[in-house]
Amino acid sequence: MQRYRICRSARHESTTVDVFFSQFQPATVKEITHLINTMPAKSCPHDPIPTWLLMKRLTPQIAPVICHMCNISLHSGVFPIKLKQALVLPLLKNNLDPETASSYRPISNLPYISKVIERVVARRFSSHLSHQSPTSSTVRLPPLRLYRNSCVVGTQRRGTLQRQPYGQVSLHVLLDLSAAFHTVDHQILLSVLSDSFAVANNALTWFISYLTNRTQQFMYAVSCTSSFTVDCSVPQGSVLGPLKFVAYTEDIVQLADEHDTLSHLYADDTQLYDSCRPQDCIIIRTRLSNCIADVALWCASRRLQLNAEKTEAIWFGSRGNLKKLASYDYSLHVGSETIQPSTFVRDLGVYLDAELTMKQHVSKVAAACLYHLRRLPCTRFAVA
């Protein structure tokens, strides 16, 4: 299955809509069947039956029931309380110390039915955002689009390569937001959905119900904590989480435009970038530093925290143009931190080097493949 997530690029015109997003179109059995057949077969301990059994054996019988449950939720504006219970599992981040608590990413394992309903809502909300009507000026919506990881990185790489024949270099800044999904303020999010994205009436009531009275348990190995009430954040691991976070941070694009800087938002990955000739690198560096300072202030107003220590910067360009930067101070200032540009960065799982040769990425992928190939002989005893 090809996975799509929500992202947004800068310098696109806003979308105009004629009507507010006030109610959901009912789901159909055909739509629910399609979602069940295409969704990953991931299970949650809170599921009443195993997901593989639901998908492979009982889809024709269970799809009408799930469709009825979904439509009741959409029509009443109430998200079932039993589907708001998340089981949080710690997932170790890449190449980090497993003995350090901050090295783990808390992923919410949600009931399967919850993800089905969320996908139905996400499809209708995305359709609302993509509806264009140039003749109306009722509501101005920031543009949200669906991309795969490969499309996002490929678009950025192609844009950078197109500037190299003109003797330009590009400065990319990869901002890091500390615990981004877990510091989202519910009241601010609902205000953004209402004021910026025209969500109203029954649809807004459903989003309020989705966010309120959520609980979560933390599980590690065989131990599990008691339930805790969640009064902020959007579940990391949910379908609507990335979509809501992009909506929550939609003002960053406007901030970047005010500084005449390009931006790209992909879930909680935020990038600022611009291009120039090597002799003008100080101008670009100053412009991006000022933009980042304003982004940091804006993050504080949304209860988000910009982590300067984990923010990365890299200059892209040809080998000759990159050598010309050596005679300038091309470091970047983020708050009290001075960021020295890296020779390569990891962007959405892809390693990009300064000359965009992809050598670092190929080396990392080859090393990972060799590691797993060496482990294959150990499995012969388990399958014998």
Side-chain angles (χ1 to χ4, degrees):
M1 174 184 175
Q2 291 179 327
R3 288 192 175 184
Y4 290 82
R5 298 183 72 185
I6 308 298
C7 69
R8 182 175 64 245
S9 296
R11 295 186 182 176
H12 291 291
E13 293 296 329
S14 297
T15 303
T16 306
V17 297
D18 289 323
V19 295
F20 287 86
F21 185 47
S22 58
Q23 60 183 358
F24 298 100
Q25 291 295 324
T28 62
V29 175
K30 181 179 179 181
E31 180 184 11
I32 297 299
T33 302
H34 173 74
L35 289 176
I36 293 176
N37 291 333
T38 55
M39 286 176 60
K42 295 181 180 179
S43 295
C44 174
H46 294 154
D47 289 330
I49 58 175
T51 303
W52 66 266
L53 180 63
L54 173 69
M55 295 180 62
K56 301 299 183 182
R57 303 286 179 87
L58 302 178
T59 300
Q61 292 77 24
I62 204 71
V65 178
I66 297 177
C67 180
H68 183 64
M69 293 170 56
C70 179
N71 286 333
I72 290 177
S73 174
L74 300 182
H75 179 72
S76 64
V78 177
F79 191 73
I81 190 69
K82 290 291 185 181
L83 302 183
K84 300 180 186 181
Q85 301 172 356
L87 194 63
V88 181
L89 306 174
L91 179 65
L92 183 64
K93 299 178 182 178
N94 292 332
N95 304 321
L96 294 183
D97 182 12
E99 300 298 326
T100 305
S102 60
S103 300
Y104 291 87
R105 180 181 290 109
I107 301 298
S108 297
N109 193 2
L110 299 165
Y112 184 80
I113 304 300
S114 169
K115 294 183 179 181
V116 174
I117 298 177
E118 286 186 50
R119 285 183 181 271
V120 172
V121 172
R123 294 177 72 173
R124 282 144 181 76
F125 187 45
S126 298
S127 176
H128 164 68
L129 298 176
S130 62
H131 178 72
Q132 298 185 15
S133 177
T135 60
S136 172
S137 59
T138 306
V139 183
R140 303 293 293 180
L141 297 180
L144 298 178
R145 297 192 176 187
L146 290 166
Y147 288 101
R148 294 195 301 272
N149 290 36
S150 57
C151 293
V152 175
V153 177
T155 300
Q156 294 175 342
R157 184 172 182 267
R158 182 172 61 253
T160 302
L161 289 173
Q162 289 175 346
R163 297 181 180 91
Q164 289 189 8
Y166 300 97
Q168 293 187 339
V169 292
S170 298
L171 175 59
H172 286 236
V173 183
L174 287 73
L175 303 179
D176 183 86
L177 299 176
S178 299
F181 276 66
H182 308 289
T183 56
V184 172
D185 184 277
H186 288 172
Q187 294 303 318
I188 296 177
L189 173 59
L190 292 172
S191 177
V192 170
L193 291 176
S194 175
D195 299 338
S196 299
F197 293 93
V199 180
N201 300 335
N202 188 64
L204 183 61
T205 301
W206 188 93
F207 281 112
I208 294 173
S209 176
Y210 175 85
L211 291 172
T212 55
N213 298 322
R214 299 194 71 93
T215 60
Q216 61 185 16
Q217 294 175 280
F218 295 89
M219 184 175 183
Y220 183 74
V222 294
S223 301
C224 187
T225 68
S226 57
S227 295
F228 294 89
T229 302
V230 180
D231 54 7
C232 65
S233 81
V234 289
Q236 188 170 3
S238 65
V239 177
L240 287 174
L243 177 58
K244 288 188 175 183
F245 188 82
V246 170
Y248 190 74
T249 57
E250 51 93 13
D251 287 342
I252 292 181
V253 172
Q254 182 179 353
L255 285 175
D257 287 342
E258 291 175 358
H259 289 271
D260 197 24
T261 299
L262 293 167
S263 64
H264 195 94
L265 279 70
Y266 183 89
D268 60 338
D269 294 293
T270 304
Q271 297 183 32
L272 303 174
Y273 58 99
D274 210 342
S275 302
C276 66
R277 294 185 177 275
Q279 58 269 28
D280 298 325
C281 66
I282 297 179
I283 298 175
I284 297 298
R285 185 199 66 177
T286 303
R287 183 186 300 166
L288 282 172
S289 295
N290 294 335
C291 182
I292 294 171
D294 284 351
V295 169
L297 292 175
W298 176 88
C299 286
S301 70
R302 288 283 171 95
R303 299 189 178 182
L304 301 172
Q305 182 178 359
L306 179 63
N307 190 343
E309 294 182 357
K310 293 186 178 181
T311 295
E312 295 182 291
I314 185 172
W315 286 91
F316 291 118
S318 64
R319 182 175 303 178
N321 287 329
L322 291 175
K323 286 183 178 179
K324 296 178 183 179
L325 294 176
S327 57
Y328 301 95
D329 178 14
Y330 55 89
S331 60
L332 197 68
H333 299 287
V334 179
S336 58
E337 299 288 334
T338 299
I339 301 176
Q340 296 296 334
S342 306
T343 56
F344 71 92
V345 294
R346 187 172 182 269
D347 181 17
L348 299 176
V350 178
Y351 291 90
L352 301 175
D353 58 280
E355 298 179 30
L356 292 175
T357 61
M358 304 301 291
K359 291 181 179 179
Q360 192 73 30
H361 183 73
V362 172
S363 176
K364 294 286 186 180
V365 172
C369 291
L370 288 174
Y371 170 77
H372 290 291
L373 287 174
R374 291 193 186 100
R375 297 187 62 187
L376 284 178
C378 301
T379 64
R380 67 178 184 270
F381 303 104
V383 298

